[in-house]
Amino acid sequence: MTAVHLPDLPPVPEGRLPRRVPVRRILCLLPLLLVAVVAVQHRAVLAEGFAHLGTARWPWLLAAVCATCLTWVAAACTRQGAVVERLPPGRLLATQFAAGAANHLLPTGLGASAVNLRFMTVCGLSLARSSAALALYLLAEAVGRVGLLAVLFLAFPDALRLDGLLPDGAIGPLVLAVTAVVLVAAGVLALVRRVRATVVSFLRTALGEARSVHARPSRALALWGGAFAFPALQAAGLVAVGRALGLTVPPAHLAVAYLAATVAVALVPTPGGLGSVEAALVVALVAAGGPAAVATAVVLAYRIITVWLPLLPGALTLGALVRRKVI
């Protein structure tokens, strides 16, 4: 019987582990999985919201979509204004779009903050300066939202009743919780030297970055212009949806209701405010004088436009940015 000669195979290196799936590939697919999970959990809200969109006036809905798109431009301007270095504009805008999706999949603020922190470090900023820029952005956004609410509420004091935006009996425990957090933080700073040194170093860096940014008028204009434009565009989107569905509430009152509701739900750390935003907005619109049924329809349609429609493309953009190592 003739022996068959097989070609020699290359030797396998000793100790070589089987090929594993790259972590970056898993991170690319994770946003899509989270979108599917969130969509299944809120499928009833999605069905009802799309049903309301089918009965709306489309020119006003188009205006709401345009206002939503401009919010990403405003966010990009604010992010650029928080740093002295020039960030790549195209990648910066794409990052804000992706950060919006991340923000709706993780507890409020954490998703967008993580995406932007990673983006700035990839662009060459140190972790300390990136964190300082992030803190400056969050401060400017909070000042812009609360400042715009204060101006509108002073101009239209009868726009809505603020009671009801938080659950009954929640103010007392909330004050106690905030006081406890402040006292614990103060105690840690006073007793733990390393923590105190870290906080002092961060504050020194943050103040230095803030001075550098405000020394350049273009950066200061981008920072504060974007910070005020962002909530204004969000409120304009709600006004447009209200007009599309025939909500008989004045536009200024709608804007006050939106800003008051979003400030209230900022205290509730749910992913993207899912659930808490809808409830607070309905309460605020009813307090502003809208019928409960129409107010509910407006809120559901508004959340479809601002959250659910951009969620899948935003997750795809997030995966693409991770794959290309932009973040």
Side-chain angles (χ1 to χ4, degrees), residues 67 137 154 162 232:
Y137 169 86
L154 288 175
L162 293 180

Side-chain angles (χ1 to χ4, degrees), residues 262-280:
T262 52
V263 169
V265 299
L267 303 173
V268 184
T270 57
L274 294 176
S276 57
V277 168
E278 286 86 347

Side-chain angles (χ1 to χ4, degrees), residues 28-54:
C28 293
L29 298 176
L30 184 60
L32 298 180
L33 178 62
L34 292 176
V35 168
V37 172
V38 173
V40 170
Q41 290 177 342
H42 297 82
R43 56 187 179 277
V45 174
L46 284 170
E48 189 174 355
F50 276 110
H52 290 308
L53 286 178

Side-chain angles (χ1 to χ4, degrees), residues 159-193:
L160 84 162
R161 299 185 306 274
L162 293 180
D163 56 328
L165 289 182
L166 292 174
D168 294 335
I171 296 179
L174 181 62
V175 172
L176 290 177
V178 172
T179 303
V181 169
V182 171
L183 291 177
V184 170
V188 170
L189 289 176
L191 298 176
V192 183
R193 181 178 300 177

Side-chain angles (χ1 to χ4, degrees), residues 4-327:
V4 179
H5 177 70
L6 297 176
D8 294 334
L9 297 177
V12 178
E14 294 184 3
R16 185 171 183 177
L17 298 176
R19 185 178 180 182
R20 291 179 291 185
V21 179
V23 176
R24 189 170 292 274
R25 183 175 300 176
I26 298 176
L27 293 177
C28 293
L29 298 176
L30 184 60
L32 298 180
L33 178 62
L34 292 176
V35 168
V37 172
V38 173
V40 170
Q41 290 177 342
H42 297 82
R43 56 187 179 277
V45 174
L46 284 170
E48 189 174 355
F50 276 110
H52 290 308
L53 286 178
T55 63
R57 290 179 286 180
W58 284 97
W60 284 109
L61 289 184
L62 182 60
V65 171
C66 292
T68 301
C69 293
L70 288 175
T71 58
W72 301 315
V73 178
C77 288
T78 312
R79 300 283 183 187
Q80 176 60 86
V83 296
V84 175
E85 289 82 359
R86 184 176 183 273
L87 301 175
R91 284 184 285 172
L92 176 60
L93 183 58
T95 301
Q96 302 321 300
F97 182 51
N103 215 36
H104 295 303
L105 300 174
L106 295 173
T108 304
L110 292 182
S113 297
V115 169
N116 280 284
L117 189 64
R118 175 63 180 169
F119 172 70
M120 286 186 287
T121 54
V122 170
C123 288
L125 277 73
S126 65
L127 182 59
R129 294 191 58 213
S130 299
S131 302
L134 180 62
L136 181 58
Y137 169 86
L138 294 175
L139 176 63
E141 202 276 336
V143 170
R145 189 175 299 273
V146 175
L148 188 60
L149 172 61
V151 170
L152 289 176
F153 195 68
L154 288 175
F156 305 95
D158 57 342
L160 84 162
R161 299 185 306 274
L162 293 180
D163 56 328
L165 289 182
L166 292 174
D168 294 335
I171 296 179
L174 181 62
V175 172
L176 290 177
V178 172
T179 303
V181 169
V182 171
L183 291 177
V184 170
V188 170
L189 289 176
L191 298 176
V192 183
R193 181 178 300 177
R194 180 174 296 181
V195 174
R196 184 169 63 251
T198 302
V199 171
V200 170
S201 176
F202 173 76
L203 291 176
R204 188 180 296 113
T205 302
L207 290 174
E209 288 295 310
R211 284 195 296 267
S212 300
V213 164
H214 288 87
R216 301 185 61 177
S218 61
R219 293 292 186 265
L221 179 62
L223 175 67
W224 294 106
F228 280 93
F230 185 75
L233 288 167
Q234 288 181 321
L238 181 64
V239 170
V241 174
R243 286 291 176 265
L245 292 174
L247 182 63
T248 57
V249 175
H253 292 200
L254 274 176
V256 171
Y258 173 79
L259 294 170
T262 52
V263 169
V265 299
L267 303 173
V268 184
T270 57
L274 294 176
S276 57
V277 168
E278 286 86 347
L281 276 177
V282 171
V283 171
L285 294 184
V286 172
V294 182
T296 302
V298 168
V299 170
L300 291 176
Y302 175 73
R303 294 292 276 176
I304 288 289
I305 292 174
T306 58
V307 176
W308 295 106
L309 287 181
L311 193 56
L312 180 57
L316 291 172
T317 303
L318 180 59
L321 293 177
V322 171
R323 187 175 183 83
R324 296 184 179 186
K325 299 183 180 180
V326 175
I327 57 176

